Amino acid sequence: MKIETKAVHWGDRRKSGSFIPVTTPIYTAASYAYESMDQLDRVFGLEESGPSYARYDNPTRSALEELVRELESGAGAIACASGMIAIHTALLAALMDRPKHVVAANMMYGATTGLLMNVLGPMGVETTHVDVCDLKAVEAALTESKVGAMIMETISNPLLRVGAMDKIAAMCRAAGVPLIVDNTFATPLLVRPLELGANMVCHSATKYLAGHGDVLGGVIVADQANYDALRTLSRTIGPVMGPFESYLTLRGIKTLALRVERQCANACNVASWLATHPRVERTFFPGDPRHPDAESIARLFPPNRFGGLVAFELREAGRPEVFRFMEKLQMVVRATSLGDVHTMILYPAMASHRDLSPKHRERLGIRDNLVRVSIGIEAPEDIVADLDQALSA
Ligand SMILES: *Cc1c(COP(=O)(O)O)cnc(C)c1O
């Protein structure tokens, strides 16, 4: 079955007593009783599947987990309260019985870098930052010292670079290092990291999976070798998503394939229009044939789908000019987050990469004239028209 079909059918329509609900209800119960003590015993012992306590299992959450597990080709999934707690839990699970040393992509979501530096660092976890587009550097980082886990993003933030994930996965495997991939920007519609050899996949479900700007959530999907440890850890610390958010995410994913298809098509349109605009200095888009990672993109992505994110630099602009441009936008929403049905714009120097020094940003190539747009499902003409009127100063 194709992934578009699975997105609509998986997880739902479990028998409940004498009937089958067409969509999974929101189960709010914190605990679950069984008629026989033997059955409760089997449920507690994980010999029979079923809920007993909401930190362990919740039927609404389980339906979502089953769906995302299937979309990402994993052995099991845990739906979490946020993308960040999903990443934190995946790292904890990987590092539990391994060396406390992480190799991390040098250009990641700001809070992920913060988690490594400001939370795990003081607890004794060392991090080596590498450019995942430099395979020699990755190889060196993985072999020069004892490493417990590697983490990277399918598409980097905000410059939209794409590392050779298949080759990196092979290097990790050879070094015996589990690879965790944050697949938030790509979604399983574009890239399925576990099929390429990664061991755990994380999502901020807040973004494309839920897709409507009304959920904070995350998901971890693990391969067989890592799922049991992950589930045991999750049952202990309870990073889990609540039933209401699980319901909204489950509902959102039914249209994920349609949304992503439209967002990708719109993004191609907007990116090629921006590339010729006199006020735009440079565009960053994985569909650009001159993209520095074009080879990896051609190998890893489906034809003509490059995600819904586009970044660009305004010509001869600094912070005041960027502010003026953003304030002139009438329809495009000026807010953090991405992957929603509406087009959104973010100024990385002020938002996602605010906490980095100007020098550090410069080193990463994030200039003060860079903005990042998350393209929505609107009519492409309307997105272009709004950007156009705001660009014509
Ligand atoms: C938003 C985001 C996160 C964090 O997710 P939250 O749901 O905000 O906790 C992590 N990684 C990426 C790539 C993101 O875009």
Side-chain angles (χ1 to χ4, degrees), residues 27 73 81 169 254 280 310 316 358 362:
Y27 286 89
S73 304
K254 291 183 199 300
V280 173
V310 182
E316 283 155 31
E362 186 74 36

PDB file of all heavy atoms in Angstrom, residues 27 73 81 169 254 280 310 316 358 362:
ATOM      1  N   TYR A  27      -9.855   9.417  24.121  1.00  0.00           N
ATOM      2  CA  TYR A  27      -9.974   8.719  25.406  1.00  0.00           C
ATOM      3  C   TYR A  27      -9.286   9.552  26.475  1.00  0.00           C
ATOM      4  O   TYR A  27      -8.074   9.763  26.412  1.00  0.00           O
ATOM      5  CB  TYR A  27      -9.299   7.348  25.336  1.00  0.00           C
ATOM      6  CG  TYR A  27     -10.066   6.323  24.541  1.00  0.00           C
ATOM      7  CD1 TYR A  27      -9.866   6.198  23.177  1.00  0.00           C
ATOM      8  CD2 TYR A  27     -10.982   5.484  25.166  1.00  0.00           C
ATOM      9  CE1 TYR A  27     -10.559   5.252  22.439  1.00  0.00           C
ATOM     10  CE2 TYR A  27     -11.678   4.538  24.427  1.00  0.00           C
ATOM     11  CZ  TYR A  27     -11.465   4.424  23.075  1.00  0.00           C
ATOM     12  OH  TYR A  27     -12.155   3.489  22.353  1.00  0.00           O
ATOM     13  N   SER A  73       8.088   3.613   8.560  1.00  0.00           N
ATOM     14  CA  SER A  73       8.651   2.256   8.440  1.00  0.00           C
ATOM     15  C   SER A  73       9.461   1.840   9.671  1.00  0.00           C
ATOM     16  O   SER A  73      10.562   1.303   9.540  1.00  0.00           O
ATOM     17  CB  SER A  73       9.574   2.147   7.209  1.00  0.00           C
ATOM     18  OG  SER A  73       8.904   2.506   6.055  1.00  0.00           O
ATOM     19  N   ALA A  81       4.911  15.035  23.990  1.00  0.00           N
ATOM     20  CA  ALA A  81       4.262  16.318  24.253  1.00  0.00           C
ATOM     21  C   ALA A  81       4.834  17.464  23.431  1.00  0.00           C
ATOM     22  O   ALA A  81       4.191  18.499  23.271  1.00  0.00           O
ATOM     23  CB  ALA A  81       4.351  16.645  25.745  1.00  0.00           C
ATOM     24  N   ALA A 169      24.478   7.212   7.367  1.00  0.00           N
ATOM     25  CA  ALA A 169      23.922   6.055   8.080  1.00  0.00           C
ATOM     26  C   ALA A 169      24.867   4.859   7.979  1.00  0.00           C
ATOM     27  O   ALA A 169      25.069   4.117   8.951  1.00  0.00           O
ATOM     28  CB  ALA A 169      22.532   5.708   7.541  1.00  0.00           C
ATOM     29  N   LYS A 254      -4.261  12.715   8.156  1.00  0.00           N
ATOM     30  CA  LYS A 254      -5.083  12.178   7.053  1.00  0.00           C
ATOM     31  C   LYS A 254      -4.921  13.013   5.780  1.00  0.00           C
ATOM     32  O   LYS A 254      -5.055  12.501   4.679  1.00  0.00           O
ATOM     33  CB  LYS A 254      -6.543  12.108   7.476  1.00  0.00           C
ATOM     34  CG  LYS A 254      -6.765  11.045   8.538  1.00  0.00           C
ATOM     35  CD  LYS A 254      -8.217  10.914   8.908  1.00  0.00           C
ATOM     36  CE  LYS A 254      -8.384  10.214  10.236  1.00  0.00           C
ATOM     37  NZ  LYS A 254      -7.820   8.859  10.240  1.00  0.00           N
ATOM     38  N   VAL A 280      15.822  40.466  -4.491  1.00  0.00           N
ATOM     39  CA  VAL A 280      16.278  39.250  -3.809  1.00  0.00           C
ATOM     40  C   VAL A 280      17.725  38.972  -4.209  1.00  0.00           C
ATOM     41  O   VAL A 280      18.040  38.854  -5.387  1.00  0.00           O
ATOM     42  CB  VAL A 280      15.367  38.049  -4.156  1.00  0.00           C
ATOM     43  CG1 VAL A 280      15.918  36.752  -3.586  1.00  0.00           C
ATOM     44  CG2 VAL A 280      13.949  38.303  -3.637  1.00  0.00           C
ATOM     45  N   VAL A 310      11.405  27.748   1.869  1.00  0.00           N
ATOM     46  CA  VAL A 310      12.243  28.555   0.979  1.00  0.00           C
ATOM     47  C   VAL A 310      12.860  29.650   1.839  1.00  0.00           C
ATOM     48  O   VAL A 310      12.162  30.272   2.644  1.00  0.00           O
ATOM     49  CB  VAL A 310      11.394  29.231  -0.134  1.00  0.00           C
ATOM     50  CG1 VAL A 310      12.286  30.016  -1.078  1.00  0.00           C
ATOM     51  CG2 VAL A 310      10.566  28.206  -0.902  1.00  0.00           C
ATOM     52  N   GLU A 316      20.899  44.227  -0.272  1.00  0.00           N
ATOM     53  CA  GLU A 316      21.297  45.453   0.453  1.00  0.00           C
ATOM     54  C   GLU A 316      20.352  45.774   1.606  1.00  0.00           C
ATOM     55  O   GLU A 316      19.915  46.910   1.763  1.00  0.00           O
ATOM     56  CB  GLU A 316      21.355  46.644  -0.517  1.00  0.00           C
ATOM     57  CG  GLU A 316      22.611  46.637  -1.373  1.00  0.00           C
ATOM     58  CD  GLU A 316      22.406  47.383  -2.683  1.00  0.00           C
ATOM     59  OE1 GLU A 316      21.626  48.330  -2.687  1.00  0.00           O
ATOM     60  OE2 GLU A 316      23.021  46.975  -3.684  1.00  0.00           O
ATOM     61  N   PRO A 358      26.331  37.425  16.690  1.00  0.00           N
ATOM     62  CA  PRO A 358      26.386  37.775  15.263  1.00  0.00           C
ATOM     63  C   PRO A 358      27.540  37.063  14.554  1.00  0.00           C
ATOM     64  O   PRO A 358      27.385  36.604  13.413  1.00  0.00           O
ATOM     65  CB  PRO A 358      26.602  39.293  15.292  1.00  0.00           C
ATOM     66  CG  PRO A 358      25.997  39.744  16.585  1.00  0.00           C
ATOM     67  CD  PRO A 358      26.220  38.618  17.556  1.00  0.00           C
ATOM     68  N   GLU A 362      27.201  34.534  11.448  1.00  0.00           N
ATOM     69  CA  GLU A 362      27.976  34.815  10.228  1.00  0.00           C
ATOM     70  C   GLU A 362      28.730  33.551   9.800  1.00  0.00           C
ATOM     71  O   GLU A 362      28.746  33.177   8.631  1.00  0.00           O
ATOM     72  CB  GLU A 362      28.948  35.972  10.520  1.00  0.00           C
ATOM     73  CG  GLU A 362      29.726  36.476   9.312  1.00  0.00           C
ATOM     74  CD  GLU A 362      28.868  37.314   8.358  1.00  0.00           C
ATOM     75  OE1 GLU A 362      27.985  38.055   8.842  1.00  0.00           O
ATOM     76  OE2 GLU A 362      29.092  37.210   7.138  1.00  0.00           O
TER      77      GLU A 362
END
